[in-house]
Amino acid sequence: MENNTLNIKISEKPAYSYPIIIGQDLDFFEYIKKYTKAKKLLIVTNKTIFSLYEKKIKADNAYYVILEDGEEYKNFDSLKKILDTAIENRLERRDCFVAFGGGVVGDVTGYAAASYLRGVDFIQIPTTLLAHVDSSVGGKVAINHEKGKNLIGAFYQPKAVLADTNLLSTLDKRQLKTGLAEVLKYAFIEKSCGAELNYRFYDFLDAYSEKILKLDSVILEKLILICCTLKASVVEKDETEKGLRAVLNFGHTFAHAIENLTGYTKYTHGEAVAAGMIMAAKLALKLEMIERSYFVKINELINKYELLPELPGFDKDEFIEAMHLDKKADADKIRFILPDSEFSVKMVTDVDESLIKDCIEI
Ligand SMILES: NC(=O)c1ccc[n+]([C@@H]2O[C@H](COP(=O)([O-])OP(=O)(O)OC[C@H]3O[C@@H](n4cnc5c(N)ncnc54)[C@H](O)[C@@H]3O)[C@@H](O)[C@H]2O)c1
Ligand SMILES: [Zn+2]
């Protein structure tokens, strides 16, 4: 079957563009040959993924770094392991780092690629749905610091993203759903992304929910293509997060507070985002930015995919405090991305705290 290719062009770097190739059972090494001049490859993955896909990523010219599995390994130690392996094996400027994994592997490998020899080529092979539709597109790479997530990082674009939907078949349901929360987010921000689609993404997700949940590969490829088109449209116009890119944070102001107050371990990011989108929709309704019918529509789609977790009763003052700590908050104003009409969002600051408190439930 023909693979879909989407070309990303960054307006801040007009000469720069790279493809996202979306298909099934892609021949990774053929594509790497096509898009880089690498003699040696440094493939970074984690134990879980390596044990599932060892054969698929074996190559004679590759060195491997197999990290432990978990967000806590998106850290300096993993960065050092990657750089040490590159140095020991004398990778050169023209060689290439390959991230074979979810967002954790993608972020740390990208950051290592950005810093090794002041930047070597980097290919993303995402293995989670979240990485297919979100973390592998856009060029944000980072590691965590004990004081906070993603505090050390860069904007560094890959040479290509190879999105193979077959890899998603081994994901567990919870990981699939965490990616789906970000997928649904694109439906609610569609009109603010500045891309022309042939159909409403909301309607697509509404119509094909069963096929999507069963990982129908043709529908999944379309879904990934749409999400990448929308994210790319935003990133192409605002690579380094000066403005438009904020629309991608729909639901995230509330989500970050949920994650922060529950120690980043109780909920997946997508569960927090699903709850955060409901809270943001509630706030928009209270601010009379949207009609009740649209509020219901948002709830219906999120419920159709069963994305919402059970939340504890949060202390509302602590919740507001956690929102202020979010690194995207201005000095002392909490920034929200809220729906302002169907499938469109805008940034809102200066919201009355008592109104926010009324929305901290789902
Ligand atoms: N750079 C960005 O723009 C961006 C955007 C969103 C999120 N992120 C980052 O992404 C990370 C989260 O990414 P994630 O949700 O992919 O988490 P992850 O990388 O931790 O992967 C989730 C789990 O799925 C397992 N897994 C991965 N692929 C698998 C497969 N094919 N089959 C079976 N199991 C598999 C992993 O081992 C892990 O246990 C966070 O660190 C977040 O900060 C970055
Ligand atoms: Zn997110």
Side-chain angles (χ1 to χ4, degrees), residues 46-49 52-53 68-71 74 100-107 124 126-132 134-142 144 149-150 166-172 175 178-179 182 231 245 252 268-270:
N46 76 22
K47 280 186 171 166
T48 312
I49 307 163
L52 289 165
Y53 295 106
E68 297 293 323
D69 187 352
E71 176 72 32
K74 200 171 106 174
F100 187 77
V104 167
V105 167
D107 278 10
Q124 289 262 24
T127 63
T128 61
L129 181 61
L130 183 125
H132 273 86
D134 189 1
S135 62
S136 71
V137 186
K140 280 211 234 168
V141 294
N144 301 327
K149 264 178 66 88
N150 298 322
N166 280 5
L167 299 175
L168 303 180
S169 63
T170 48
L171 275 184
D172 69 35
Q175 289 305 334
T178 198
E182 298 285 359
K231 180 154 184 188
R245 204 162 170 152
H252 281 60
T268 66
H269 178 62

Side-chain angles (χ1 to χ4, degrees), residues 191-232:
K191 285 189 184 164
S192 304
C193 295
E196 292 290 326
L197 298 182
N198 297 329
Y199 35 73
R200 256 297 84 77
F201 191 35
Y202 183 101
D203 297 339
F204 176 95
L205 293 173
D206 195 30
Y208 292 115
S209 60
E210 272 181 37
K211 288 196 170 182
I212 292 167
L213 288 165
K214 283 194 191 131
L215 301 180
D216 176 290
S217 51
V218 174
I219 298 293
L220 263 189
E221 281 181 36
K222 259 203 186 119
L223 173 148
I224 292 164
L225 183 67
I226 297 170
C227 294
C228 291
T229 303
L230 292 171
K231 180 154 184 188

Side-chain angles (χ1 to χ4, degrees), residues 27-86:
D27 186 339
F28 301 135
F29 296 106
E30 274 306 306
Y31 282 111
I32 292 171
K33 226 185 266 165
K34 181 167 172 192
Y35 292 111
T36 76
K37 296 189 171 62
K39 288 219 159 130
K40 295 179 185 174
L41 305 176
L42 186 74
I43 299 181
V44 183
T45 186
N46 76 22
K47 280 186 171 166
T48 312
I49 307 163
F50 187 70
S51 68
L52 289 165
Y53 295 106
E54 182 173 353
K55 274 204 197 116
K56 206 159 161 52
I57 54 164
K58 268 285 169 216
D60 293 339
N61 62 337
Y63 300 89
Y64 295 83
V65 178
I66 317 242
L67 302 173
E68 297 293 323
D69 187 352
E71 176 72 32
E72 63 272 35
Y73 297 100
K74 200 171 106 174
N75 63 7
F76 277 112
D77 284 350
S78 298
L79 176 68
K80 184 170 181 322
K81 258 190 203 155
I82 298 169
L83 296 174
D84 287 350
T85 310

